[in-house]
Amino acid sequence: MKAITLLGSTGSIGTQTLDIVAQYPDQFQIVGLAAGRNVEMLAAQIRQFQPSIAAICVEDKLSELKDAIADLDPQPILLAGEAGVVEVARYGNAETVVTGIVGCAGLLPTIAAIEAGKNIALANKETLIAGAPVVLPLIEKYNVKLLPADSEHSAIFQCLQGVPNGGLRRILLTASGGAFRDLPVEKLVDVQVADALKHPNWSMGKKITIDSATLMNKGLEVIEAHYLFALDYDRIEIVIHPQSIIHSLIELQDTSVLAQLGWADMRLPLLYALSYPERIYTNWKQLDLVKAGDLTFRAPDHKKYPCMQLAYAAGKAGGSMPAVLNAANEQAVALFLEEKIRFLDIPRCIERVCDRHVSDHRTNPSLEDIVNADYWARQEVINACEELDNSKIYSQLK
Ligand code: MG
């Protein structure tokens, strides 16, 4: 029986993790739950999974949460606010903490969990992208494991089992191509929020679905792969694979290539992050290669999707730059979802903010530097979005 705490329990990663826990009650037990603002769903989860502790991030929702489970006996410890989420992260005997909180908000609770000696099932990209300069030394210091729960990094991690140190030569990250992969570049200027939210293969949260449409998701995954697997950026490549059957590949020193395959189902990488190093039998739909049909590949289009190269550039700059890239992207995506900027403004905002950060760039940032850079970048996007000129971006892309 493995004790698990789940941060971001009402989001896409959170609910899928709880599906797994519900399916394998003999294998996993929930110690703590933390959610953002969805009281109703969190209350239902508390009833079903009976954690010892739970937190709601939005503070003034606490009384609502208390009322919603007032009849429960025994009562879990109930907390609120960011401090409450941090407390859940470090609480009790949980062996693994699943970090499904979207965005930079996941950074502080993840650090708290590491300092409490817990393994991290990493479903929050920002932990490494923004926080790697601080998080990686802590992983080493507290001797905990970082278990990737993202499909691509899980694929790489699975392929690497049994590969000796120094055996890895190249990573090939597969990308579905997102909602607009078959749309000509000149149509991108007009796309609406609802269009961008239609992902062809994966069922995910809103923010990451927009990131898939801009391909920033893949750029962020390149940075994450660099930190997770300690490989130079020029040895991490992106390949478009529209069917999302191959979840990524590794090339070894002798040019042998290993891949991990499966249907596009986030539960599989999540399950492996929870069960590692064991393999648990499931009754999930088995891969049928004949049904999967043709597996095709093509090169990424950097003109159509400038976010990938923005991410490579920020990754190579290192230090505080990936935190700025990530925060600028989060803010730009939020503005796009509010229909305050257009789709093509997203990369434009990010590029501008990263350019402006060059003079303040820290090569070895502290946690405070990272948090400050994150805050600054968000403000910069808000300031910049009013000055944007779509027609100019469009002509550059052509
Ligand atoms: Mg992914």
Side-chain angles (χ1 to χ4, degrees):
M1 186 76 121
K2 202 177 252 182
I4 288 166
T5 280
L6 176 53
L7 309 178
S9 67
T10 56
S12 173
I13 293 290
T15 52
Q16 293 183 80
T17 303
L18 289 175
D19 280 349
I20 293 171
V21 173
Q23 205 171 336
Y24 300 99
D26 303 339
Q27 306 273 355
F28 307 115
Q29 174 206 356
I30 292 290
V31 173
L33 293 175
R37 56 174 61 246
N38 190 337
V39 168
E40 205 177 317
M41 195 189 287
L42 178 59
Q45 291 175 342
I46 292 171
R47 281 180 194 282
Q48 187 179 354
F49 296 97
Q50 300 172 356
S52 312
I53 187 168
I56 185 100
C57 193
V58 174
E59 302 211 15
D60 54 16
K61 299 255 179 194
L62 181 59
S63 57
E64 211 180 307
L65 180 63
K66 280 182 176 162
D67 291 348
I69 58 159
D71 60 311
L72 266 192
D73 185 28
Q75 284 276 313
I77 302 166
L78 289 184
L79 301 168
E82 283 170 24
V85 178
V86 164
E87 202 47 47
V88 169
R90 69 166 135 240
Y91 182 85
N93 65 340
E95 189 180 326
T96 300
V97 173
V98 181
T99 58
I101 296 178
V102 177
C104 212
L107 187 53
L108 289 178
T110 304
I111 288 173
I114 295 168
E115 288 174 342
K118 301 181 187 310
N119 294 331
I120 303 297
L122 190 70
N124 164 297
K125 292 194 165 69
E126 295 74 13
T127 299
L128 278 185
I129 290 160
V134 173
V135 168
L136 290 180
L138 288 175
I139 294 282
E140 203 155 312
K141 180 176 171 191
Y142 290 92
N143 194 26
V144 298
K145 290 198 169 59
L146 207 47
L147 304 161
D150 202 355
S151 63
E152 294 80 0
H153 303 95
S154 176
I156 296 161
F157 184 62
Q158 291 181 58
C159 291
L160 278 170
Q161 301 304 311
V163 173
N165 275 344
L168 178 63
R169 174 162 167 177
R170 189 164 62 120
I171 285 174
L172 294 161
L173 272 180
T174 52
S176 70
F180 304 133
R181 68 178 173 217
D182 301 319
L183 203 68
V185 62
E186 61 274 12
K187 298 267 191 213
L188 282 180
V189 74
D190 296 322
V191 298
Q192 302 298 311
V193 171
D195 306 322
L197 285 176
K198 284 180 206 138
H199 195 280
N201 301 352
W202 293 95
S203 158
M204 305 178 292
K206 272 187 185 179
K207 191 263 177 184
I208 191 170
T209 303
I210 302 300
D211 285 347
S212 296
T214 61
L215 279 158
M216 179 55 98
N217 182 50
K218 210 50 53 180
L220 295 175
E221 287 177 356
V222 166
I223 299 174
E224 206 182 359
H226 164 80
Y227 288 128
L228 271 172
F229 306 112
L231 210 58
D232 288 346
Y233 283 98
D234 55 12
R235 294 202 280 158
I236 304 172
E237 291 171 26
I238 296 170
V239 62
I240 304 294
H241 167 46
Q243 296 83 13
S244 295
I245 296 292
I246 298 180
H247 300 312
S248 278
L249 315 90
I250 62 171
E251 183 186 20
L252 305 177
Q253 296 296 357
D254 56 9
T255 71
S256 183
V257 172
L258 307 183
Q260 187 262 332
L261 285 72
W263 298 117
D265 183 345
M266 274 308 295
R267 290 178 307 170
L268 192 50
L270 277 169
L271 175 64
Y272 189 61
L274 297 180
S275 70
Y276 172 86
E278 304 300 327
R279 293 286 187 171
I280 292 178
Y281 173 87
T282 78
N283 59 5
W284 298 344
K285 189 171 79 163
Q286 290 174 270
L287 181 62
D288 181 334
L289 282 173
V290 176
K291 259 189 201 151
D294 291 341
L295 302 183
T296 59
F297 307 93
R298 57 184 189 236
D301 183 342
H302 291 291
K303 274 208 171 109
K304 185 172 168 187
Y305 298 111
C307 283
M308 284 178 288
Q309 287 193 327
L310 292 174
Y312 271 102
K316 285 176 184 168
S320 55
M321 193 61 89
V324 165
L325 172 96
N326 173 66
N329 178 57
E330 269 186 49
Q331 187 64 59
V333 170
L335 290 173
F336 173 69
L337 286 171
E338 291 168 24
E339 301 184 330
K340 288 185 177 153
I341 62 172
R342 291 200 263 173
F343 186 73
L344 290 180
D345 293 335
I346 296 172
R348 188 73 187 135
C349 286
I350 297 164
E351 183 172 18
R352 176 187 291 229
V353 173
C354 287
D355 282 349
R356 287 187 182 176
H357 182 62
V358 170
S359 53
D360 290 323
H361 178 247
R362 302 284 160 95
T363 45
N364 208 351
S366 65
L367 180 59
E368 197 188 354
D369 292 334
I370 290 168
V371 171
N372 288 342
D374 177 279
Y375 178 79
W376 171 85
R378 284 165 206 275
Q379 292 305 311
E380 281 293 301
V381 171
I382 291 167
N383 300 341
C385 85
E386 286 155 17
E387 304 162 28
L388 288 163
D389 177 354
N390 279 299
S391 57
K392 204 160 132 198
I393 303 162
Y394 173 51
S395 64
Q396 278 177 356
L397 281 171
K398 272 210 294 195

